[in-house]
Amino acid sequence: MESQKKKILFVCLGNICRSPLADTIMNKLVEDKGLTEKYEIDSAGILDYHEGDKADYRMRCKAGDRGYYITHLSRPVEKSDFEKFDLIFGMDDQNIRDLESIATTDEQRSKIHRMVDYCPSFGRKSVPDPYYGGEEGFTLVIDMLEVACSNLLNELENN
Ligand code: 4NP
């Protein structure tokens, strides 16, 4: 019998830059390793401001240059996400605080994790919001999330 899929949700503020990229990178890693039967991956935003929007054009271009094609449409986090998903990753401390305020039980709070903890080599405290900055911010986010997703998948597969 097929074991239950591990369900992973990536969360950022707008769900148009960081979390849809993490979702896309993780899906590609899972596909490349032939693990699609084992994982279900999605992303969502704290805000509903961009609901239904494609990912930010700048992020789609930069990610496309690395072979990541982001097709996700923005959606806000819902309370039911805390029941559906096993692991929920925020990109910065405000994301974590906002997620903690949506969670209603200790079990739900225990699902929340920091994506930056999976790429410590960058010496950053968060996966920084690139929205109001320049091109280099998008490149940094891609660099960080490539490493973090790879480390996360290795951890999941080796435990
Ligand atoms: P994200 O970036 O959280 O990585 O999707 C942002 C996108 C939109 C806004 C802020 C951050 N915004 O304020 O609209």
Side-chain angles (χ1 to χ4, degrees):
M1 200 173 92
E2 190 195 316
S3 62
Q4 241 216 326
K5 287 190 180 195
K6 179 76 85 181
K7 300 188 183 72
I8 302 171
L9 183 68
F10 295 107
V11 173
C12 60
L13 182 58
N15 192 217
I16 56 168
C17 296
R18 293 165 291 175
S19 62
L21 176 70
D23 173 354
T24 303
I25 292 174
M26 196 67 170
N27 261 306
K28 185 168 189 299
L29 283 173
V30 162
E31 273 174 36
D32 289 350
K33 290 178 188 279
L35 298 170
T36 49
E37 296 303 312
K38 289 180 68 176
Y39 294 95
E40 183 172 334
I41 299 154
D42 195 6
S43 64
I46 300 295
L47 299 177
D48 64 5
Y49 183 70
H50 295 280
E51 188 164 7
D53 291 352
K54 286 184 187 173
D56 185 284
Y57 180 73
R58 297 164 293 175
M59 182 54 92
R60 279 187 286 130
C61 288
K62 284 264 169 226
D65 290 345
R66 299 258 191 117
Y68 302 115
Y69 299 99
I70 307 175
T71 55
H72 180 80
L73 301 180
S74 178
R75 72 159 179 96
V77 175
E78 294 169 5
K79 275 195 186 304
S80 60
D81 288 324
F82 283 87
E83 285 154 31
K84 173 174 178 181
F85 289 92
D86 303 302
L87 296 168
I88 300 177
F89 290 93
M91 299 293 156
D92 58 40
D93 286 345
Q94 188 61 51
N95 298 159
I96 300 294
R97 284 192 289 274
D98 290 337
L99 286 166
E100 285 172 347
S101 75
I102 300 168
T104 52
T105 64
D106 286 345
E107 193 207 342
Q108 291 186 0
R109 275 184 283 278
S110 75
K111 296 180 176 185
I112 302 169
H113 303 273
R114 292 153 44 91
M115 203 54 183
V116 73
D117 291 345
Y118 288 83
C119 53
S121 58
F122 287 83
R124 298 267 175 168
K125 291 198 165 94
S126 68
V127 180
D129 183 348
Y131 190 66
Y132 292 107
E135 260 188 40
E136 66 290 348
F138 287 86
T139 303
L140 175 64
V141 167
I142 299 170
D143 289 342
M144 291 180 77
L145 289 177
E146 276 189 323
V147 172
C149 287
S150 175
N151 285 335
L152 171 59
L153 186 57
N154 284 339
E155 183 181 287
L156 293 170
E157 285 298 302
N158 291 321
N159 283 323

